[in-house]
């Protein structure tokens, strides 16, 4: 019994000691955290004590160097009519400010946007930006980190609507390079300069699922740096070009195939008789109006440029084929001999005439038989009745060849030539057109293909 009691007392003692150690550790950690918070507060207060955010780092001593890189989370859409595009990015900047050096328990101070308003930050703006939005929901989407040596990392989420100059001569088999240009607004290159944080292939990165393009493929992107001059000095400008290639599928379905089918439909009239004036006229006029409608609708999605695009040339040639088919019918109709064409009434009129002649001859034969009954029959001479009965047959025999000759016109030689010439010329044009434009590859220097 004594052994059991002693073991129980020992286990209770061990549990008490463990609980005491746990409580002491929690208290010590809480005390340490309180000390760290107090230390960070003192550090921030000391950093901002006497700090003037109106002055750039290194003023009068050195050029402030700002390192930048861009991570594209969403690219698109692209507007052909307004020649602009929209991009959603994480815009990152890093620079050295010796006034913000510190020594503490941590090498990096992660801060929010409230601290960013109390220190100097670069006055970066987008040169070709039409509209830029900094996201503020639910709080301003900004990140600020201060390193122990005074290096700062400043990141913000932006949606930029920028200009994209387009040359549409090869539309819709065209390619474009949409730039994104940014730099300092007030500081010249002798005061603030920009460089890319990483190499050219990694300074501008696009997310794998970042494309929001329906009519384009994002081929890749390139980066660069240039200097611009103005009346106030020379400024450093960072450039990033996004290279796009248009998808042709939509335009094949909406424009090219209807144009080709319309041209083929216009050539069906070559196989109709030259006397089918209403049918051939309907074919010609309808196809011309259809091509006019297609040409107008194809231009609605494009800016009003002063030059012809590749689609304009295709529509113009198709329009020429359709209009030529209408002119061809007018030519055939002009050379058609109207007097030799069957009008649907000549056969009926001829039959009436034959019936009248037969009736007249039969009446004459009956009259001769009544007034000359005693005339002797001579086998060598044909009787009047026999002659009159055989005469209509001769008349019919003489009129039939003439009637058969005058019933229909033959196929026009112009139609025969057009049945072969028009399809061959249109097929040759399509081969040359598609071989010329589809084999054109855009020449892009220092291209880094997107993943």
């Amino acid at each position: 019994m004594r052994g059991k009691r002693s073991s129980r007392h020992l286990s209770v003692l061990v549990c008490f000691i463990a609980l005491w150690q746990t409580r002491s550790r929690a208290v010590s950690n809480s005390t340490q955290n309180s000390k760290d918070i107090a230390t960070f507060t003192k550090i921030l207060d000391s950093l901002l004590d006497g700090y003037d955010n109106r002055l750039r780092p290194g003023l009068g001593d050195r050029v402030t160097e700002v390192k930048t890189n861009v991570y594209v989370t969403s690219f698109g859409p692209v507007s052909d009519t307004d020649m602009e595009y929209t991009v959603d990015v994480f815009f990152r900047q890093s620079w050295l400010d010796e006034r913000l050096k510190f020594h503490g328990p941590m090498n990096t101070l992660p801060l929010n946007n409230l601290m960013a308003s109390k220190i100097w930050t670069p006055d970066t703006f987008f040169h070709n930006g039409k509209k830029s939005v900094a996201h503020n929901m639910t709080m301003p989407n900004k990140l600020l980190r201060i390193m122990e040596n005074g290096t700062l990392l400043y990141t913000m989420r932006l949606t930029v609507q920028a200009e994209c100059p387009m040359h549409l001569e090869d539309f819709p088999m065209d390619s474009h390079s949409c730039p994104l240009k940014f730099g300092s607004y007030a500081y010249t290159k002798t005061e603030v300069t920009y460089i890319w944080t990483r190499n050219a292939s990694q300074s501008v990165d696009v997310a794998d699922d970042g494309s929001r393009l329906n009519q384009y493929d994002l081929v890749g992107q390139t980066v660069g740096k240039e200097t611009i001059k103005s009346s106030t000095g020379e400024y450093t400008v960072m450039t990033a070009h996004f290279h796009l290639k248009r998808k042709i599928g939509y335009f094949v379905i909406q424009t090219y195939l209807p144009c080709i089918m319309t041209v083929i439909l216009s050539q069906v009239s070559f196989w109709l008789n030259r006397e089918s004036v209403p049918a051939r006229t309907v074919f010609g006029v309808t196809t011309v109006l259809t091509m006019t409608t297609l040409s107008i609708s194809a231009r609605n999605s494009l800016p009003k440029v002063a030059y012809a695009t590749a689609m304009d040339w295709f529509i113009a040639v198709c329009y020429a084929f359709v209009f030529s088919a209408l002119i061809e019918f007018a030519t055939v109709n002009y050379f058609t001999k109207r007097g030799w064409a069957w009008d649907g009434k000549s056969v009926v009129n001829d039959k009436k005439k034959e019936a009248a002649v037969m009736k007249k001859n039969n009446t004459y034969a009956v009259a001769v038989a009544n007034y000359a009954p005693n005339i002797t029959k001579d086998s060598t001479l044909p009787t009047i009745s026999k002659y009159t009965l055989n005469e209509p047959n001769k008349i019919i025999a003489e009129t039939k060849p003439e009637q058969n000759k005058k019933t229909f016109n033959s196929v026009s030689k112009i139609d025969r030539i057009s049945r072969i010439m028009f399809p061959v010329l249109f097929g040759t044009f399509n081969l040359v057109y598609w071989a010329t434009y589809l084999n054109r590859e855009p020449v892009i220097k220092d291209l880094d293909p997107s993943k």
Side-chain angles (χ1 to χ4, degrees), residues 369-386:
N370 292 333
Y371 288 98
N374 296 326
I375 297 176
T376 58
K377 295 181 181 179
D378 190 352
S379 58
T380 59
L381 298 175
T383 60
I384 296 174
S385 61
K386 181 185 279 188

Side-chain angles (χ1 to χ4, degrees), residues 201-222:
S201 61
Q202 297 179 349
S203 295
V204 177
D205 192 15
V206 181
D208 295 335
D209 58 345
S211 178
R212 300 293 185 270
L213 303 173
N214 294 325
Q215 294 188 18
Y216 290 93
D217 285 323
L218 183 59
V219 180
Q221 59 273 352
T222 56

Side-chain angles (χ1 to χ4, degrees), residues 12 48 52 75 130 161 184 187 203 227 233 261 310 379 403 425:
V12 170
L48 296 177
D52 191 351
F75 188 92
K130 290 185 175 181
Q161 190 173 344
S184 175
Y187 296 101
S203 295
T227 301
M261 297 303 296
S379 58
Q403 175 186 333
L425 290 178

Side-chain angles (χ1 to χ4, degrees), residues 383-430:
T383 60
I384 296 174
S385 61
K386 181 185 279 188
Y387 173 77
T388 55
L389 291 174
N390 291 335
E391 191 65 24
N393 294 332
K394 292 182 180 180
I395 296 173
I396 295 172
E398 291 176 358
T399 57
K400 278 185 178 180
E402 187 177 359
Q403 175 186 333
N404 293 335
K405 181 189 275 187
K406 295 182 180 180
T407 302
F408 298 104
N409 280 305
S410 61
V411 179
S412 174
K413 291 182 179 180
I414 300 177
D415 280 342
R416 291 179 179 177
I417 296 173
S418 300
R419 292 173 184 176
I420 299 175
M421 184 181 69
F422 273 71
V424 170
L425 290 178
F426 188 64
T428 303
F429 163 72
N430 275 274

Side-chain angles (χ1 to χ4, degrees), residues 280-281 283-285 288 321-331:
R280 296 189 69 164
T281 303
F283 267 106
V285 175
V288 169
F321 271 97
V322 170
F323 192 76
S324 299
L326 183 60
I327 297 301
E328 186 271 350
F329 165 64
T331 305

